[in-house]
Amino acid sequence: MTAMPQTTDLLSVHYHHLIQHRCGDPNDDLIAKMYASWLCGQGAMPLNLGLPLDIFRTMMAYHFPTMPHISRPAHIRHVDVARMEELDDLRTLLHQSHSHTGPDAGWMVEILCAGCMGSDHLWQDLGLWSRKDLSRLMQDNFQSLAERNSKDMKWKKFLYKQMCEGEGIYVCRSPSCEVCKDYQACFGPEV
């Protein structure tokens, strides 16, 4: 009798299966990581990575055109409907700074919005494998926004700070981040 593979083994199997079918787009790797994590129950992504089913299928067919079958996880997470207004504000911020003109333009906005609804670090909620993956996603897809994060603030905190400042809401009482007593919470290591 064979032992059940560990989650990391399944994660690797799902990821490598997807990568064999990639189209060569820079986002293939990131989507493969998020999708593999989603299949293994990791991260906080809702059904279809936060996309409507038809758009999810279109995205997967674009990034992995020769993949014969799209698997779906047994678990289902949902976005908190009480946070929909927050999602709209985040969506607006991301659309304004999206640097892609291809089909990925709307997909990454919606996926990132869904990931922001989780309660962990954004890279973990998205099902990415490191913060470096998220920084690459931001740089490749939201370059102008990524460049504004010049001090390497944690991404979810940075996005929400940008939304607040866009609305003229300044919740931080410190004159600058460097002198704030909560500096570690925004800029410290993500573990």
Side-chain angles (χ1 to χ4, degrees):
M1 190 160 131
T2 311
M4 180 78 169
Q6 294 182 346
T7 303
T8 54
D9 294 338
L10 282 174
L11 195 64
S12 181
V13 166
H14 288 304
Y15 171 78
H16 289 294
H17 176 69
L18 282 166
I19 288 301
Q20 293 172 1
H21 299 281
R22 70 183 175 262
C23 74
D25 185 281
N27 282 325
D28 292 350
D29 176 65
L30 299 169
I31 291 172
K33 287 177 178 178
M34 289 186 278
Y35 179 73
S37 295
W38 180 56
L39 287 175
C40 291
Q42 296 181 2
M45 295 304 286
L47 193 59
N48 305 317
L49 300 177
L51 299 168
L53 180 58
D54 59 331
I55 295 173
F56 173 75
R57 285 181 175 154
T58 300
M59 179 189 73
M60 295 302 286
Y62 171 80
H63 283 283
F64 312 103
T66 61
M67 193 164 80
H69 180 266
I70 302 289
S71 301
R72 294 167 57 97
H75 67 281
I76 298 175
R77 292 186 174 101
H78 298 282
V79 173
D80 183 358
V81 293
R83 297 178 70 185
M84 290 315 239
E85 185 176 328
E86 177 184 325
L87 269 178
D88 290 340
D89 292 341
L90 184 57
R91 191 174 287 118
T92 298
L93 172 71
L94 293 171
H95 274 296
Q96 290 171 345
S97 60
H98 204 286
S99 52
H100 266 239
T101 55
D104 275 347
W107 301 336
M108 278 302 186
V109 167
E110 295 304 318
I111 289 170
L112 204 55
C113 285
C116 282
M117 297 296 103
S119 58
D120 222 333
H121 294 299
L122 183 54
W123 66 270
Q124 292 168 323
D125 288 336
L126 287 167
L128 291 170
W129 298 359
S130 70
R131 186 174 193 273
K132 186 184 275 188
D133 288 338
L134 177 56
S135 293
R136 184 166 45 110
L137 183 153
M138 296 301 293
Q139 187 63 44
D140 290 352
N141 294 278
F142 306 97
Q143 186 175 8
S144 65
L145 195 58
E147 288 170 356
R148 282 188 266 169
N149 191 4
S150 60
K151 302 226 191 270
D152 202 27
M153 183 181 238
K154 294 176 184 172
W155 282 110
K156 196 181 292 186
K157 288 186 180 291
F158 175 77
L159 292 172
Y160 280 84
K161 184 175 189 268
Q162 296 300 301
M163 286 184 348
C164 289
E165 288 176 0
E167 294 291 321
I169 302 167
Y170 298 94
V171 293
C172 297
R173 295 176 196 254
S174 292
S176 73
C177 291
E178 289 77 16
V179 298
C180 180
K181 65 181 177 77
D182 292 324
Y183 184 86
Q184 282 300 108
C186 293
F187 295 95
E190 294 183 49
V191 288

